[in-house]
Amino acid sequence: MSGIISYRATASPILSPPCCSSRGARGVPPARSLSVASPVDSEISEEQSAKIVIPRRLILLRHGKSSWSDRSLRDHDRPLSKAGRDDAIAVSRKLHQMGWIPELILSSDSVRTKETLLLMQEHWPSFREAKVRFIPSFYSVAAMDGQTAEHLQEAVCEHSGDEILTVMCMGHNKGWEEAASMLSGASIELKTCNAALLQASGQSWKEAFATAGFGGWKLSGIVKPEPREGQC
């Protein structure tokens, strides 16, 4: 799709907060006046600290391709197909290599979504370290017009502490690509096992959502599994 970049693991940068350090000149003793902190210095330090930009990353992942081999199953209970299992492993490998490792995973409780997550955890230990919460409403809200983006915002703010910088939400279309499009302001297509990588900043998740609003989240890319044989 025009304007959407499919990231390859070898070409995608690993995004991380900058690190700062300071070094004094050798052999030069510190000025005596610097050894005493004044109240003004403390106020400036606190003010500067409050302005530190804290990057926050949101991964919106659609579940892997599901199987239709058993037509008697409810939609909620359909498992992954062989292709869906392969794609779940491939996408988790790319996310791992790019450094987009979630500290919190919020997921639909459908069978195919749970299986997608289980495969990611089995093949990449970094995904097992994340806290996981299954949210039944993620399944139903995805079928409602214009509801998913706000629902995801509420769920992330409710379940994620401010110390958590990367959250992955796993669910379904049409809601997931609708939410990715609304948050980023771009027209996003999420096929099965595609992940939209979004970034904003804020002292808290609530502040990040409030500051970025709809259309203000930066789209860093779309992670996709490798095309299978016979696909273009």
Side-chain angles (χ1 to χ4, degrees):
M1 177 171 286
S2 176
I4 300 301
I5 302 172
S6 174
Y7 274 67
R8 304 292 181 186
T10 55
S12 302
I14 296 178
L15 305 172
S16 58
C19 179
C20 301
S21 62
S22 60
R23 298 175 58 186
R26 293 185 178 179
V28 179
R32 183 171 300 177
S33 60
L34 297 181
S35 62
V36 179
S38 68
V40 175
D41 293 332
S42 299
E43 292 176 5
I44 293 175
S45 177
E46 291 175 2
E47 182 180 351
Q48 290 175 338
S49 177
K51 293 181 179 180
I52 295 175
V53 174
I54 300 178
R56 298 189 181 274
R57 303 190 295 186
L58 181 62
I59 305 168
L60 300 186
L61 174 67
R62 186 181 171 192
H63 62 79
K65 187 176 181 64
S66 59
S67 171
W68 290 89
S69 60
D70 186 350
R71 296 283 179 171
S72 68
L73 292 175
R74 297 184 307 156
D75 178 79
H76 185 280
D77 298 334
R78 286 190 289 112
L80 291 179
S81 65
K82 171 63 167 59
R85 293 192 293 271
D86 292 342
D87 288 348
I89 296 169
V91 165
S92 60
R93 179 180 68 248
K94 288 187 176 184
L95 290 171
H96 174 83
Q97 292 174 343
M98 293 172 65
W100 280 69
I101 308 299
E103 299 155 85
L104 173 67
I105 298 173
L106 304 178
S107 175
S108 162
D109 65 349
S110 73
V111 170
R112 56 190 180 275
T113 314
K114 285 184 173 181
E115 287 187 355
T116 300
L117 175 57
L118 180 60
L119 285 164
M120 298 173 82
Q121 293 174 320
E122 286 179 347
H123 286 80
W124 300 104
S126 55
F127 285 85
R128 293 200 294 267
E129 297 175 6
K131 299 177 182 177
V132 177
R133 289 184 178 273
F134 292 104
I135 302 179
S137 58
F138 275 17
Y139 175 79
S140 56
V141 76
M144 302 178 185
D145 292 331
Q147 301 297 311
T148 305
E150 185 175 353
H151 189 67
L152 292 180
Q153 173 180 329
E154 292 172 353
V156 171
C157 291
E158 177 182 352
H159 297 289
S160 179
D162 295 343
E163 75 282 358
I164 293 176
L165 302 181
T166 303
V167 176
M168 180 165 72
C169 295
M170 300 177 63
H172 310 262
N173 266 0
K174 59 182 174 182
W176 251 241
E177 68 181 17
E178 179 186 79
S181 299
M182 289 180 66
L183 290 172
S184 67
S187 179
I188 295 177
E189 180 184 25
L190 290 180
K191 296 184 178 181
T192 52
C193 230
N194 284 193
L197 309 183
L198 305 175
Q199 290 191 91
S201 61
Q203 295 290 321
S204 64
W205 281 97
K206 184 176 181 180
E207 181 179 298
F209 278 107
T211 301
F214 287 154
W217 284 76
K218 177 185 176 183
L219 176 64
S220 293
I222 305 295
V223 178
K224 303 178 181 180
E226 297 294 339
R228 292 181 290 277
E229 186 175 351
Q231 290 184 326
C232 58

